[in-house]
Amino acid sequence: MVLAIALGAAAGIVGFAPLVFGLHRVKHMTDAGNLGHMGVLMLCLLFSFVLMFAFAILCINVNRDAALPFVLSEAGALSVTAIVFGVTKLARKS
């Protein structure tokens, strides 16, 4: 069960990577309108969800008993990573 929690946390952190990529990409887009910026972020959010579901399905296929701890730790790690990212980004601005 500890292995499932650790792998779920790693999958949650990996699931946040497309969102960071999208934010970095939007920052360098100069000639796109609001739809272009939001489109890139929405695609990255969709890819992040696809990654989360793919990891969860993979875990269910490998070990069904560890699916609940894996999915809960994956969602928790994604949330904590997003909060830490937002707080550090806000702290750098001020």
Side-chain angles (χ1 to χ4, degrees), residues 17-88:
L19 299 173
V20 173
F21 173 75
L23 287 173
H24 180 69
R25 187 87 172 123
V26 165
K27 187 168 52 172
H28 294 295
M29 292 175 69
T30 57
D31 58 348
N34 286 339
L35 185 60
H37 292 282
M38 285 294 133
V40 169
L41 290 176
M42 290 302 288
L43 283 175
C44 290
L45 182 65
L46 178 68
F47 188 64
S48 178
F49 280 132
V50 167
L51 275 176
M52 283 188 65
F53 284 122
F55 284 134
I57 290 170
L58 183 67
C59 177
I60 290 170
N61 285 335
V62 171
N63 188 2
R64 187 176 296 270
D65 294 335
L68 184 64
F70 179 86
V71 170
L72 290 178
S73 66
E74 183 180 23
L78 181 72
S79 300
V80 169
T81 305
I83 291 169
V84 168
F85 178 78
V87 168
T88 55

Side-chain angles (χ1 to χ4, degrees), residues 1-15:
M1 187 157 127
V2 174
L3 181 63
I5 292 172
L7 289 175
I13 293 169
V14 168

